[in-house]
Amino acid sequence: MPADPGSEGGGEVNRLKANSVGLVGVVFMAIATAAPITAMTGNLPIIVGQGNGIGAPAAYVFATLVLTVFSVGYVAMARHITAAGAFYGFISHGLGRVVGMACGLLAVLAYIVFEASIIGFFAYSLRGLVAAQLGLDLPWGWYALFGLLVIAVMAFFDIHLTAKVLGVALVLEITVLLAASIAVAVTGGGPDGIPLAAVNPVNAFKGVGGSGAAAGLGLFFAFWSWVGFESTAMYGEESRDPKRVVPRATLISVIGVGLFYVFVSWMIISGNGVQNAIHIANGLVPGKDGNNLFFDPLGAHFGAWAVKVFQWLVVTGSFACAMAFHQCAARYLYAIGREGFIHPALGRTHPRHGSPYVASAVQSVIATLLVAGFLVAGMDPYTHLYTLLALLGTMAILIVQTLCSFAVIGYFHVQGRHPETRHWLRTLTAPLIGGVAMACVVVLLVKNMGTAAGPASSTLLFELIPYLVIGTFLGGLTLALVMKRRSPERYARMGRIILEEAAERPAAQPVPAARN
């Protein structure tokens, strides 16, 4: 892979393989990161049983609107800034290098732990499925190691390979969820028909039993279902015509996933019946748990075979999600490394595949060590590994998303960049509303962390989560300020970590067709 000269700080950097994926490929990777089947099976039962009850679809409507408003400013930045390190470039252009470094380290923390978190869910699901259907019961660590190994091998090659695998997994999981939902819709719903109250916006703010705290919990889990959609910007350097692909992929991911969540949650509640759905989600129906929200309509309309297929797709969907987060983490480590920060070897790309293979290998080692730590400590892959690391990563990434909204205002209005794009709604009002709304989501997370963590809330790691996030942010601020004062040369290179990743490109020129 040829080296390109850096725009700031001098030196040359290894570039990712250009034109590796098109619009469809970027959309697949972003939606796979959000993991629709994992979000539905993991989050919807909590929203229905302990959160908004019948108003779960309305909670998804509200989350879709907020995230769409957030995305308006996000895509405005993406049209002018192309960044493998996404938030690095956006925030440092809008709020300065110091805040950009702090947010960059938070994003690194988030994506690094997300892979290990989802691998925990994958191992838990696969172990239970193999034991139930094949009669083989192995320790969960073997399944986790298997998943990590396959991801490491696939990430070594051109990202086009990952896009293909994620695309197949995504199409299958969406197909089965839509099949169950459409079957409920065409047969007129369940015992209560198809209740319109489920999509009444007022019910997004009503919790089970009229509890405001329950409504807040439900809204948080609704927003949690989108974590990862913003990864579209990370693939800008590898996509065809990034100034067009990234904005379109972002809006398609947010709005498309939102409509999907609303429809599926609405039909699943309808198929079970309102009160029955709440009881099943809360485990009040003997022999059933939250998964039966999906199993029962599937079995009723398609038979037992469809339930077994669905169970396997939960496994493949979680694997695809872990692989997508691995790619995100590798690109952040690569973005740091090619600027000479931490270690320059992280910035190397494979001479043939154009992949960030060194950063990818480092991410695999980190994820393996995290999983091994939980395994040695005798912790559960779902209760502890998945839940605790997901909460840690979510808190970090939500803070970064919040500051990214304000960075849009700083870039276009405070600094006065690109007057041709500057607009009172797209680059001022929408980012302001989006930033305030995202800050409220962070508050919802803090208030509901104990409930979200469940049994894991009694662990030391749970208590440390806020301090890890705050410490990482302050560490980034301190590092940037110290380097600015004591080592101007290193500070200049550090600026390139952020700014060159986001080097503004000229208007898009025709390029060879990309593979989707």
Side-chain angles (χ1 to χ4, degrees), residues 31-41 170 173-174 177 225 257 260-261:
I31 297 180
T33 310
I37 199 166
T38 305
M40 286 287 94
T41 57
L170 186 63
E173 62 185 84
I174 288 177
L177 285 169
S225 302
V257 167
F260 177 80
Y261 286 163

Side-chain angles (χ1 to χ4, degrees), residues 443-490:
V443 173
L444 287 176
L445 169 58
V446 173
K447 286 187 174 181
N448 295 286
M449 274 185 62
T451 304
S457 61
S458 62
T459 63
L460 175 62
L461 179 56
F462 173 80
E463 299 292 337
L464 291 176
I465 286 175
Y467 300 101
L468 290 172
V469 172
I470 294 172
T472 300
F473 187 83
L474 293 178
L477 291 178
T478 302
L479 175 63
L481 291 172
V482 169
M483 291 180 67
K484 180 179 182 180
R485 181 172 181 177
R486 297 186 178 180
S487 181
E489 297 81 7
R490 291 195 65 197

Side-chain angles (χ1 to χ4, degrees), residues 168-208:
V168 171
L170 186 63
V171 168
L172 290 174
E173 62 185 84
I174 288 177
T175 297
V176 72
L177 285 169
L178 280 179
S181 302
I182 291 172
V184 170
V186 299
T187 55
D192 305 310
I194 300 178
L196 293 178
V199 289
N200 184 339
V202 174
N203 289 325
F205 306 97
K206 292 182 179 179
V208 175

Side-chain angles (χ1 to χ4, degrees), residues 57 79 110 125 128 163 183 240 258 281 301 305 326 331 351 376:
R79 289 191 174 97
S125 302
R240 173 171 54 90
H301 290 284
W305 68 270
H326 175 96
R331 274 149 186 77
V376 171

Side-chain angles (χ1 to χ4, degrees), residues 4 11 22 53 64-65 71 76 115 128 139 141 191 214 220 264 272 337 347 370 456 468:
D4 287 346
T64 301
L65 293 175
S71 298
E115 180 186 0
F220 164 67
V264 171
N272 286 279
L370 287 172
L468 290 172

